Amino acid sequence: MTPARARIDAVLEKGAVDVVIIGAGVNGAGLFRDLCEQGVDCLIVDKADYGSGTSAAPSRLIHGGLKYLETGEFRLVAQSTLERNLLLKNAPHFVRPLLTLIPIFSWSRGVGAVLRTLLGSKTAARSRGALLIKIGLHIYDFYGAKHRVMPRHAIVSRTKALRDIPALTPAIVAVGTYYDANVSMPERLVYELIADGLAANPRSAAANYMRLRSQDAGALTFSDSQVDMLVVRPRVVVNAAGPWIDEVNANLGSVEIHREFIVAAAR
Ligand SMILES: Cc1cc2nc3c(=O)[nH]c(=O)nc-3n(C[C@H](O)[C@H](O)[C@H](O)COP(=O)(O)OP(=O)(O)OC[C@H]3O[C@@H](n4cnc5c(N)ncnc54)[C@H](O)[C@@H]3O)c2cc1C
C-alpha cells in the first residue's frame, strides 16, 4: 500500500471528515492548503492529475487586474495585486516578474471616456494616451505597493524606446512599462499547495483519479475507472470543480436536502 493510500484509508476509517473538496485545481488546492494550515481535517479528490484541468491551461499570466481600473473595480485591483505579490514572494521558483510594455500613440486620448467611467459608465476607453496611461500605472503601483518585490512603472521616451527595441513601430509617442508576473508551471504550483496541506495536517489526505459518482444521505461515493472506490461522509462539501461544477452538482444529487453543505467555490 502506498503512503498516499494509507492516509486516505486513515481518513476513511474515521468515518467522518470535516471537509471534502471536489476538484484539485488552483482553487481547490489553495483552499485545501488554507484549511489544513488551520487544523481542519480535509480530503481533496480529483478525477485526474492534480492541477490538470483549467489550471494547467492558462496564459500563465499572474496579473494584478490593470484592466479593472478602467471599469472602476478598485477593490478587485487591490485584491489581485496583493495575490500577485504574495505569489511572487511565496513561490519565486515558479512565479517571476514579467516586464510589460504598452506602446503609446497619443498624449491625451481617452480622457473623456475616463470621465464617463467616473460618472458611472462601465465602458472602457478604446484608446489611451500617455496621460491616461501614466495615471493608470501610477494607481496600479499604488494598489500593488503591499509586499511589492518589483520595480515601479515608467514612461519611456520615444527615442529611448526605439533605440532599445528597434522592432517597435515609429508611430509611437512613448512607451509605458510596468511589471506583472508569469507562472512557469501552474500545475506544479497546484501540486505544491496540496503537498503543503498534507505536511501541515497529518489527518488530511489527497486522492487523484477518483471521480465523484453519487451522493446518498450525505455519503459521497468516488470511484476510478477500475474497481477502487472511496465512500466518505463529510460535514461540508466544497464543489471546486471549475468548468465541471454543474456535473458535480448533478452528481451530488440531493442538492435540495444538503444545500446548506454545498459551497460553490468555482467562479
Ligand atoms: C485559455 C485560458 C487562459 C487563462 N489565462 C489565465 C491567466 O493568464 N491568468 C489567470 O489568473 N487565470 C487565467 N485563466 C483562468 C484560470 O485558469 C482559472 O480561473 C483557474 O485555473 C480555475 O481553477 P479551478 O481550480 O477553479 O478549476 P480547474 O483547474 O479546472 O479545477 C477543477 C478540477 O475539478 C476536477 N473535477 C471535475 N469533475 C470532477 C469530479 N466529478 N470528481 C472529481 N474531480 C473533478 C477536474 O479534474 C479539475 O482538476 C485562464 C483560463 C483559460 C481557459
Side-chain angles (χ1 to χ4, degrees):
M1 186 188 293
T2 63
R5 181 69 215 202
R7 277 182 81 141
I8 295 165
D9 287 349
V11 167
L12 298 182
E13 264 167 34
K14 283 194 305 179
V17 63
D18 293 330
V19 179
V20 163
I21 301 168
I22 304 167
V26 72
N27 282 321
L31 178 66
F32 178 74
R33 181 187 184 281
D34 269 11
L35 292 176
C36 288
E37 292 281 356
Q38 293 171 56
V40 179
D41 299 353
C42 299
L43 175 66
I44 186 166
V45 189
D46 202 289
K47 68 179 173 57
D49 279 331
Y50 304 129
S52 64
T54 326
S55 298
S59 61
R60 286 164 166 63
L61 185 64
I62 307 278
H63 64 79
L66 179 64
K67 63 184 176 183
Y68 302 126
L69 287 178
E70 289 188 316
T71 45
E73 295 170 87
F74 297 112
R75 280 181 64 182
L76 189 53
V77 178
Q79 186 189 6
S80 304
T81 48
L82 178 62
E83 295 288 342
R84 179 202 64 193
N85 291 353
L86 290 176
L87 275 168
L88 280 157
K89 260 181 102 169
N90 296 335
H93 48 310
F94 295 137
V95 182
R96 298 199 175 91
L98 179 71
L99 174 64
T100 309
L101 305 183
I102 311 174
I104 305 174
F105 296 93
S106 86
W107 294 104
S108 59
R109 247 180 249 159
V111 173
V114 169
L115 292 175
R116 284 195 293 281
T117 301
L118 292 175
L119 293 172
S121 166
K122 289 283 172 194
T123 316
R126 288 219 180 114
S127 176
R128 304 151 195 98
L131 177 65
L132 205 54
I133 288 173
K134 174 74 188 163
I135 294 169
L137 292 180
H138 189 76
I139 299 172
Y140 200 49
D141 276 348
F142 170 78
Y143 279 114
K146 211 170 170 189
H147 296 291
R148 180 175 200 91
V149 295
M150 303 182 293
R152 293 174 181 277
H153 81 274
I155 300 289
V156 180
S157 73
R158 176 178 185 274
T159 313
K160 182 171 179 348
L162 288 175
R163 194 180 57 225
D164 292 351
I165 314 173
L168 282 171
T169 168
I172 55 168
V173 300
V175 165
T177 65
Y178 71 100
Y179 281 84
D180 260 330
N182 167 268
V183 56
S184 52
M185 288 181 275
E187 61 288 343
R188 289 294 305 265
L189 182 66
V190 170
Y191 175 73
E192 286 194 4
L193 290 170
I194 293 172
D196 278 0
L198 291 171
N201 185 343
R203 296 175 308 281
S204 288
N208 58 5
Y209 287 90
M210 283 286 168
R211 180 186 277 265
L212 176 76
R213 304 289 178 183
S214 61
Q215 181 274 137
D216 184 25
L220 307 183
T221 300
F222 296 86
S223 69
D224 63 4
S225 52
Q226 312 293 309
V227 290
D228 213 3
M229 188 182 279
L230 302 178
V231 180
V232 61
R233 191 178 289 275
R235 293 200 176 86
V236 174
V237 178
V238 177
N239 181 351
W244 295 271
I245 191 168
D246 291 338
E247 181 191 311
V248 166
N249 274 339
N251 288 340
L252 285 169
S254 50
V255 174
E256 292 307 314
I257 302 167
H258 299 281
R259 191 182 292 282
E260 69 273 24
F261 297 133
I262 294 167
V263 181
R267 282 180 233 148

